[in-house]
């Protein structure tokens, strides 16, 4: 296939538009937040906390609606024996945003945090914050690498250009405007990118539907024409596996810095909630063209197209069904619009992930853990350096690692089973401490890794009830690959075990130290006995320097024997309507 000049021109124009918007946003907001006495580093991370509903809604939606989202939704709808019933991402992520808006956005925004890791370091100390940074960083980097890899494959399908060159250029543009403008550039370019995704995919759908090779998708939804119906079904033996994956998307989609970066950039806690609900609706709307494209792929007689006699599923190319439909069922000039849509989706997610990872490193690792005396200018330069480093790392993984999707699946699972239960504990449960957090981390990690990961060819060492041996046949080579499928909802069980371990070990160590069963000298983490000592309070770093410190938040208050069970365990402060509550100091500088 020859290089399409029109396609290259379309890509160049699109990339120049994105670059122009990113640079314009950086210039327009170069003094935002700083003129009011704020820090430049905080302005880069959370945009001066003045992101409005329009831009905020677009940027939060665009962050979820990435290359993996639109490609993956189309793939599952297309795959035989899966279909729409297993395309869980649209509803899972939409519910994730709703749950995040209802329960997590308000306490995080009203306390004035700057990153998702702030409450962990505040309560559990800098070392524990560093441990929790690892799965969070892995998730962001592997996500960026996976979607950059998807972009390269898409470009190779529609326009016959060098995959490596296209991935590198796309990543460099995203890194450049993120480095220059921070969250402002990311947010404003997301507005353009989301518009391009919507327009590009919806323009393509009517042309693909009207292609003579495509059967009526309303008929193929329930009847087998060229393959099994694209509505799909959930067989009884897979119901727990389906539920486990759905919970992973719904609850595991919350503890991501890309989400909280937008929550914390909102002008108020109420706005943060509204942004979440707007993005939930946007995710559902943006999934519709992907679902239709997957249904079109399942309803096509590929022998009548330029693709060839074998359908994509028999060439192990099901993951590329969206660009294949654009290329072979649409006119060339329409397929270029769709290509722009995929490129926009990838860049809108890649820039957000890179900024999120660098924000957590610069603030929570470099500043709060190692250099509390670092100047604002120093933190800004650390952010810029890490934006480039993490962007380069994601790009290298996209080009060199064949198992990037497996790494992404595993890291997203670790975010679910490790970070989500800790976020629940730190926000809503009174009395958890560093010992409980460490135990929860270990429990979640072992139980999840123990279940294995077929995408990485990682065998399990824990065989949960209902496990079965499965085989996968590679159609092109004829090779047969065997792997263990865990049908037990072990990911959700691992998450619950991690949460319960945090609560149980926290209260156990609290009892042991306060009752004198364990000597105070063994409180190595200063998490129980020495938590509120004057020495530690003198070293404390406030999350939000503009709020007053409430003494009742800084002084420990022992529960009386007559206190209710709910008052003992549930942190009711985060559920109040008071948006002026001050953050606690970081008392645990271990």
């Amino acid at each position: 296939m020859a290089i399409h000049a029109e396609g290259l021109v379309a890509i160049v124009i699109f990339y120049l538009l994105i670059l122009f918007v990113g640079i314009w946003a950086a210039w327009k907001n170069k003094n935002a937040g700083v003129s009011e006495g704020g820090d430049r580093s905080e302005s880069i991370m959370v945009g001066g906390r003045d992101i409005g509903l329009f831009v905020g809604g677009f940027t939060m939606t665009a962050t979820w609606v990435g290359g993996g989202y639109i490609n993956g939704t189309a793939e599952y709808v297309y795959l035989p024996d899966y279909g729409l019933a297993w395309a869980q991402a649209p509803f899972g992520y939409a519910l994730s945003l709703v749950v995040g808006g209802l329960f997590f956005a308000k306490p995080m925004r009203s306390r004035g945090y700057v990153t998702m890791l702030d409450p962990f370091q505040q309560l559990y100390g800098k070392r524990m914050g560093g441990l929790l940074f690892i799965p969070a960083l892995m998730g962001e980097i592997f996500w960026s690498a996976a979607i950059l890899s998807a972009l390269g494959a898409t470009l190779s399908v529609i326009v016959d250009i060098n995959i490596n060159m296209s991935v590198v250029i796309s990543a460099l543009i995203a890194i450049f405007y993120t480095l220059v403008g921070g969250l402002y550039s990311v947010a404003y370019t997301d507005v353009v990118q989301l518009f391009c995704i919507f327009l590009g995919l919806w323009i393509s759908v009517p042309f693909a539907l009207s292609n003579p090779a495509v059967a009526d998708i309303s008929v193929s939804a329930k009847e087998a024409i060229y393959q099994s119906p694209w509505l799909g079904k959930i067989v009884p033996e897979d119901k727990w596996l389906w539920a486990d994956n759905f919970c992973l998307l719904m609850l595991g989609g919350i503890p991501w810095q890309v989400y909280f970066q937008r929550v914390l950039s909102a002008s108020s806690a109420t706005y943060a909630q509204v942004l979440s609900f707007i993005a939930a609706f946007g995710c559902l709307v943006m999934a519709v063209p992907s679902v239709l494209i997957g249904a079109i792929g399942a309803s096509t007689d590929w022998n009548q197209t330029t693709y060839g006699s074998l359908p994509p599923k028999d060439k192990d190319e099901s993951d590329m069904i969206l660009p294949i439909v654009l290329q072979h069922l649409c006119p060339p000039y329409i397929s270029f619009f769709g290509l722009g849509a995929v490129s926009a989706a990838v860049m809108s997610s890649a820039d957000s992930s890179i900024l999120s990872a660098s924000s957590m490193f610069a603030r929570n690792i470099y500043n709060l853990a190692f250099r509390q005396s670092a100047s604002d200018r120093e933190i800004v330069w650390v952010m810029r350096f890490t934006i480039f480093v993490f962007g380069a790392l994601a790009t290298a993984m996209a080009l060199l690692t064949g198992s990037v999707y497996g790494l992404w699946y595993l890291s997203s699972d670790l975010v679910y089973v490790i970070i989500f239960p800790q976020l629940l504990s730190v926000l809503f449960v009174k009395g958890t401490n560093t010992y409980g957090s460490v135990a929860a981390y270990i429990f979640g990690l072992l139980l999840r890794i123990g279940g294995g990961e077929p995408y990485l060819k990682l065998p399990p060492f824990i065989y949960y009830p209902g496990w079965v041996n499965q085989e996968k046949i590679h159609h092109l080579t004829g090779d047969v690959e065997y792997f263990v499928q865990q049908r037990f909802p072990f990911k959700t069980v691992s998450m619950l075990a991690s949460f319960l371990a945090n609560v149980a070990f926290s209260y156990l160590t609290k009892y042991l130290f306060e009752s004198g069963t364990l000597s105070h000298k063994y409180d190595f983490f200063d998490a129980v006995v020495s938590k509120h000592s004057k020495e530690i309070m003198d070293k404390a770093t406030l999350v939000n320097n503009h709020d007053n410190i409430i003494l009742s938040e800084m002084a420990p208050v022992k529960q009386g024997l007559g206190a209710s069970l709910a008052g003992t365990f549930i942190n009711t402060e985060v559920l109040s309507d008071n948006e002026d509550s001050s953050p606690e100091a970081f008392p645990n500088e271990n």
Side-chain angles (χ1 to χ4, degrees):
M1 182 173 61
I3 294 177
H4 293 287
E6 300 91 339
L8 286 177
V9 171
I11 294 171
V12 169
I13 292 174
F14 168 74
Y15 279 12
L16 288 176
L17 174 64
I18 294 297
L19 188 59
F20 170 78
V21 172
I23 295 173
W24 171 81
W27 174 80
K28 179 179 181 291
N29 299 283
K30 59 182 178 181
N31 295 319
V34 181
S35 57
E36 290 82 15
D39 293 334
R40 175 63 179 161
S41 59
E42 186 170 322
S43 177
I44 294 174
M45 294 180 195
V46 291
R49 301 193 194 273
D50 62 355
I51 300 294
L53 284 181
F54 178 77
V55 174
F58 269 84
T59 184
M60 192 174 283
T61 304
T63 300
W64 263 254
V65 184
Y69 183 90
I70 62 175
N71 276 313
T73 300
E75 176 190 358
Y76 268 88
V77 173
Y78 167 74
L79 279 171
D81 303 324
Y82 284 89
L84 184 61
W86 286 86
Q88 298 173 308
F91 291 103
Y93 281 134
L95 282 176
S96 171
L97 288 162
V98 171
V99 174
L102 287 174
F103 300 105
F104 294 89
K106 191 168 189 176
M108 290 291 285
R109 176 62 186 89
S110 62
R111 291 185 170 194
Y113 296 127
V114 179
T115 74
M116 177 185 72
L117 294 182
D118 280 355
F120 299 120
Q121 285 192 308
Q122 174 182 324
L123 188 63
Y124 299 147
K126 61 187 180 184
R127 293 194 186 99
M128 199 62 223
L131 274 178
L132 291 170
F133 171 72
I134 296 172
L137 174 67
M138 288 170 56
E140 302 290 2
I141 297 298
F142 295 151
W143 185 15
S144 299
I147 56 184
L148 284 171
S149 178
L151 174 64
T154 302
L155 291 173
S156 69
V157 169
I158 299 180
V159 183
D160 192 17
I161 60 176
N162 185 275
I163 295 178
N164 294 354
M165 182 180 68
S166 63
V167 170
V168 170
I169 292 174
S170 304
L172 283 176
I173 291 174
I175 290 169
F176 180 74
Y177 68 69
T178 305
L179 189 147
V180 171
L183 185 63
Y184 280 114
S185 290
V186 170
Y188 280 85
T189 53
D190 278 348
V191 174
V192 178
Q193 289 159 346
L194 196 64
F195 177 77
C196 291
I197 297 168
F198 186 81
L199 184 65
L201 291 182
W202 272 116
I203 285 178
S204 307
V205 166
F207 287 92
L209 276 172
S210 60
N211 191 290
V214 180
D216 188 342
I217 64 171
S218 62
V219 177
S220 61
K222 298 180 180 179
E223 298 179 14
I225 299 179
Y226 301 114
Q227 61 179 59
S228 55
W230 61 264
L231 279 181
K233 60 181 179 179
I234 305 168
V235 295
E237 56 266 28
D238 285 337
K239 62 183 180 181
W240 288 112
L241 177 63
W242 188 96
D244 197 22
N245 291 336
F246 192 79
C247 288
L248 169 66
L249 291 170
M250 181 175 66
L251 301 178
I254 296 172
W256 289 82
Q257 171 64 10
V258 286
Y259 169 63
F260 285 112
Q261 195 142 34
R262 278 125 190 92
V263 164
L264 299 172
S265 69
S267 53
S268 69
T270 302
Y271 265 39
Q273 291 182 298
V274 175
L275 289 181
S276 300
F277 302 145
I278 291 174
F281 176 75
C283 281
L284 290 176
V285 171
M286 299 300 293
V288 173
S290 290
V291 170
L292 291 175
I293 289 173
I296 290 168
S299 310
T300 300
D301 179 7
W302 291 100
N303 196 35
Q304 298 182 36
T305 69
T306 54
Y307 181 75
S309 58
L310 290 176
K313 62 184 178 64
D314 292 338
K315 292 184 179 180
D316 293 326
E317 293 182 348
S318 298
D319 57 332
M320 300 309 300
I321 189 62
L322 188 142
I324 288 171
V325 166
L326 295 179
Q327 169 66 18
H328 296 282
L329 299 180
C330 298
Y333 63 93
I334 294 298
S335 67
F336 299 144
F337 275 100
L339 175 63
V342 177
S343 302
V346 168
M347 294 178 72
S348 68
S349 297
D351 56 12
S352 301
S353 296
I354 293 166
L355 178 64
S356 297
S358 63
S359 298
M360 289 188 292
F361 179 84
R363 175 172 172 80
N364 300 104
I365 304 301
Y366 183 81
N367 180 212
L368 296 181
F370 293 106
R371 274 188 58 81
Q372 291 90 346
S373 60
S375 65
D376 181 58
R377 180 180 175 85
E378 184 178 343
I379 297 171
V380 169
W381 278 105
V382 169
M383 274 198 71
R384 288 173 176 167
F385 176 73
T386 50
I387 285 172
F388 180 80
V389 169
F390 292 151
L393 182 60
T395 305
M397 291 191 64
L399 299 176
L400 303 175
T401 306
S403 57
V404 66
Y405 279 97
L407 292 169
W408 150 238
Y409 289 134
L410 180 59
S411 61
S412 62
D413 288 358
L414 293 179
V415 169
Y416 175 46
V417 302
I418 294 176
I419 300 183
F420 178 71
Q422 305 246 12
L423 186 65
L424 274 180
S425 300
V426 81
L427 289 181
F428 300 110
V429 181
K430 283 185 175 181
T432 56
N433 56 42
T434 313
Y435 298 101
S437 181
V438 171
Y441 196 107
I442 295 172
F443 268 73
L445 183 65
L446 287 178
L447 290 175
R448 172 58 192 93
I449 297 295
E453 179 50 65
Y455 283 98
L456 293 175
K457 296 181 174 57
L458 182 68
F461 58 83
I462 300 176
Y463 290 83
Y464 293 95
W467 67 273
V468 291
N469 272 315
Q470 297 278 51
E471 66 175 34
K472 178 181 178 182
I473 301 174
H474 297 272
H475 295 92
L476 294 180
T477 61
D479 295 338
V480 179
E481 179 184 337
Y482 296 95
F483 63 93
V484 173
Q485 183 184 57
Q486 305 272 14
R487 287 178 169 169
F488 184 76
F490 76 102
K491 298 172 187 176
T492 300
V493 169
S494 301
M495 182 273 291
L496 293 174
S498 179
F499 174 72
L500 293 175
N502 195 343
V503 176
F505 277 84
S506 292
Y507 277 88
L508 176 63
T509 53
K510 179 180 172 63
Y511 169 76
L512 291 175
F513 283 118
E514 291 186 348
S515 66
T517 306
L518 279 179
S519 173
H520 293 179
K521 67 181 180 180
Y522 295 120
D523 186 9
F524 300 113
F525 292 141
D526 292 334
V528 180
V529 180
S530 305
K531 185 175 181 180
H532 298 281
S533 69
K534 184 179 184 300
E535 176 189 359
I536 293 171
M537 294 305 296
D538 287 343
K539 295 192 294 180
T541 304
L542 290 178
V543 178
N544 187 346
N545 295 325
H546 305 299
D547 287 337
N548 295 323
I549 304 171
I550 298 176
L551 293 177
S552 62
E553 290 184 342
M554 300 177 66
V557 179
K558 290 187 177 181
Q559 290 285 338
L561 294 176
S564 67
L565 185 64
T568 303
F569 289 94
I570 300 174
N571 189 354
T572 55
E573 292 175 6
V574 301
L575 303 176
S576 68
D577 292 328
N578 179 17
E579 294 185 5
D580 297 325
S581 62
S582 302
E584 298 175 3
F586 283 11
N588 197 357
E589 297 286 336
N590 44 35

